[in-house]
Amino acid sequence: MAMSFFDQFASPSYLGIPLIAIAIALPWVLYPTPSSRWINNRLITLQGWIINRFTNQLMLPINVGGHKWALLLASLMVFLITINMLGLLPYTFTPTTQLSLNMGFAVPLWLATVLIGMRNQPTVALGHLLPEGTPIPLIPVLIIIETISLFIRPLALGVRLTANLTAGHLLIQLIATAVFVLLPMMPTVAILTATVLFLLTLLEVAVAMIQAYVFVLLLSLYLQENV
């Protein structure tokens, strides 16, 4: 039983062909594409307004040079939210519960921000490794600590997203199993447990959106340091 709880995180396959590529590509099919008409419908207008507000808020503290990342970060935000939300549906697979996928997003984008900082302002980028006013005996230790913290950033990005979504899915499955077990024996307790399950599902919807926002927000903060 304990192992079956983790079967939902296994990458699905059909005839030996992994289906994770379909799970990754599916969200883009669900979004309406803008038409060539002068006036769009309400859904496209609402979609554009939400993305514009998010992009403006995200790019507000970043210099003009970092605004080239607006399209990439907004697209990543929409992609992560959609995948996280679709993963809450029954009989679906959540690709963002795979650490390899999240690290595949986190490492290249973090490395790009670091390389941009080293190219545009190497003195400032290297200055982050040594706080101003550090006593001379502590300089080697602080440089090592700051370097380690710099390289831990992409790992923290990937692990945070994976851990939060995995924990939420496990809690939902555990409580749902408890509801089915308790229903024939103690219906009242099963109803109360089902209420908790409903509230937890609402919480997981919020977590799915918040974790996608936090992932992109931290990337924008790393970009802000190096632009």
Side-chain angles (χ1 to χ4, degrees), residues 89-130:
L89 297 176
Y91 303 103
T92 56
F93 171 68
T94 312
T96 44
T97 56
Q98 306 294 313
L99 182 60
S100 57
L101 177 68
N102 297 332
M103 293 301 293
F105 285 131
V107 172
L109 294 174
W110 164 81
L111 185 59
T113 61
V114 174
L115 292 178
I116 286 176
M118 295 297 293
R119 185 191 66 179
N120 294 340
Q121 43 185 12
T123 304
V124 177
L126 294 175
H128 291 305
L129 301 179
L130 184 63

Side-chain angles (χ1 to χ4, degrees), residues 150-216:
L150 177 66
F151 283 97
I152 283 179
R153 284 180 174 183
L155 181 63
L157 278 177
V159 170
R160 181 187 294 106
L161 183 58
T162 304
N164 281 281
L165 295 179
T166 302
H169 283 65
L170 282 176
L171 278 176
I172 289 177
Q173 187 170 2
L174 285 170
I175 296 178
T177 304
V179 171
F180 281 105
V181 172
L182 293 173
L183 190 58
M185 297 183 297
M186 293 179 286
T188 305
V189 178
I191 293 174
L192 293 177
T193 310
T195 305
V196 174
L197 177 62
F198 175 73
L199 296 177
L200 179 63
T201 305
L202 295 180
L203 177 63
E204 284 304 310
V205 171
V207 168
M209 294 186 290
I210 291 172
Q211 288 304 316
Y213 175 73
V214 168
F215 189 92
V216 177

Side-chain angles (χ1 to χ4, degrees), residues 51-62 213 217 220:
I51 293 176
N52 286 335
R53 292 292 300 173
F54 165 74
T55 306
N56 292 334
Q57 187 70 23
L58 193 66
M59 294 290 113
L60 190 61
I62 300 178
Y213 175 73
L217 179 63
S220 69

Side-chain angles (χ1 to χ4, degrees), residues 1-8 173:
M1 178 64 72
M3 290 300 296
S4 64
F5 287 149
F6 293 91
D7 289 344
Q8 60 176 320
Q173 187 170 2

